[in-house]
Amino acid sequence: EPEVTQTPSHQVTQMGQEVILRCVPISNHLYFYWYRQILGQKVEFLVSFYNNEISEKSEIFDDQFSVERPDGSNFTLKIRSTKLEDSAMYFCASSKRRGGGNEQFFGPGTRLTVL
Amino acid sequence: AQTVTQSQPEMSVQEAETVTLSCTYDTSESDYYLFWYKQPPSRQMILVIRQEAYKQQNATENRFSVNFQKAAKSFSLKISDSQLGDAAMYFCAYRSAYTSGAGSYQLTFGKGTKLSVIP
C-alpha cells in the first residue's frame, strides 16, 4: 500500500543553521501538508500546498519557513535559521482530494533537534 | 477557532476488554468532520475512523466505534475486544467542512491519549 515517506528520520542542527526536511507524498495525491508536534504538545498545522502554491498557512509559518515541490515527487519544508523552539517532530501529509472528509495520509515524521 | 480536548493523557485496558477514549471539541460551525487517528510507536499516524457531523448515525469500523454527541460536542472512541496491536497514541481531530478561497481543510488535533494494552 502506498505510504508517505519522510527523510531524515532525525535531524540534529545548530541554532541559526538552515534545515530542509523532505517528504515524498503518495504519487497520485494533489494536496500536501506540514504539521509539527513539540514534545508534550498538540500536533499543529503549519501549511498546506496545492497546485504549486501555498493554499493556507498558520501563524507559526512565518518568514523563516518555506515549502517547495522541486520536482514531481518531493515536497520540502525549509527552515532558514533554526531556533531552539523549532525542535519538534515534523509530519508531512498528503491527500488525494480537497473535501473535508477526505483522509490525510501521514508520514512517520522527522524529529528535528536544534542545539 | 476550533479546539479539541482529550482529557485522558494515558489509558490502559486488559486484552480482550473494551475501552473508551474521550474527546470533546469546540466549534461554532454546524458542518464538520471528526477523526480518530492511531499512531503506533515509531510509526505514522493512520486513520481509524471518521464521522461526518451532519450524520446522526455513529460511525463503526470493525472493533472501533464512536459515540458522537453533537449537542454536547463530544466524540468518544470505543475499542472492543482490545488487542495488543491496539497499543498506540490516539489522536482526536477536527476538520471544517467549509473553506475560503482554495481552502486547505487543515486538521486540528487534541493532545492525544496513550493507550496501553495489558496481556
Side-chain angles (χ1 to χ4, degrees):
Chain A
E1 190 168 329
E3 290 186 336
V4 176
T5 59
Q6 290 185 243
T7 54
S9 57
H10 191 191
Q11 172 98 40
V12 181
T13 190
Q14 295 290 326
M15 190 171 57
Q17 294 297 304
E18 174 183 287
V19 294
I20 297 176
L21 310 183
R22 291 183 167 78
C23 168
V24 179
I26 294 173
S27 62
N28 61 349
H29 285 189
L30 300 175
Y31 298 86
F32 313 115
Y33 313 83
W34 283 101
Y35 293 81
R36 80 170 185 191
Q37 184 181 29
I38 295 172
L39 188 64
Q41 299 187 24
K42 296 184 177 186
V43 175
E44 302 170 291
F45 169 77
L46 292 178
V47 66
S48 64
F49 192 84
Y50 168 70
N51 199 26
N52 281 321
E53 61 182 27
I54 292 173
S55 49
E56 189 169 355
K57 60 183 180 180
S58 71
E59 293 175 353
I60 303 167
F61 195 87
D62 61 22
D63 292 344
Q64 292 299 312
F65 291 90
S66 62
V67 289
E68 191 179 30
R69 189 153 161 84
D71 52 43
S73 59
N74 289 284
F75 178 51
T76 62
L77 174 69
K78 182 193 291 186
I79 309 175
R80 287 192 183 82
S81 178
T82 49
K83 307 184 185 87
L84 295 175
E85 54 265 36
D86 294 327
S87 293
M89 194 73 147
Y90 288 81
F91 296 103
C92 173
S94 68
S95 65
K96 194 171 186 178
R97 296 183 185 88
R98 194 179 68 171
N102 280 280
E103 180 178 353
Q104 291 184 14
F105 291 79
F106 283 81
T110 292
R111 180 169 298 284
L112 177 65
T113 303
V114 182
L115 302 175
Chain B
Q2 295 80 30
T3 58
V4 177
T5 303
Q6 293 178 251
S7 58
Q8 306 151 318
E10 294 188 30
M11 293 278 287
S12 61
V13 62
Q14 206 78 33
E15 196 176 1
E17 296 294 308
T18 296
V19 64
T20 298
L21 308 184
S22 301
C23 173
T24 58
Y25 59 94
D26 192 25
T27 184
S28 58
E29 297 175 333
S30 58
D31 198 11
Y32 48 87
Y33 296 84
L34 296 163
F35 304 84
W36 279 98
Y37 275 88
K38 169 187 177 182
Q39 186 182 33
S42 303
R43 298 286 306 278
Q44 51 254 68
M45 276 189 280
I46 55 173
L47 180 65
V48 174
I49 198 165
R50 90 190 83 193
Q51 175 78 42
E52 299 166 72
Y54 63 86
K55 286 189 175 178
Q56 291 186 331
Q57 187 173 7
N58 288 323
T60 300
E61 289 286 341
N62 300 314
R63 297 183 296 106
F64 298 87
S65 61
V66 298
N67 183 5
F68 173 50
Q69 302 288 328
K70 191 172 184 180
K73 294 179 182 172
S74 170
F75 182 61
S76 60
L77 174 70
K78 185 170 86 171
I79 306 173
S80 304
D81 185 26
S82 297
Q83 300 174 1
L84 295 177
D86 295 333
M89 186 71 91
Y90 286 82
F91 293 98
C92 178
Y94 172 104
R95 198 181 193 193
S96 176
Y98 307 109
T99 63
S100 58
S104 72
Y105 297 100
Q106 60 174 280
L107 288 163
T108 300
F109 286 90
K111 287 185 80 169
T113 296
K114 184 177 180 182
L115 178 67
S116 302
V117 181
I118 303 162

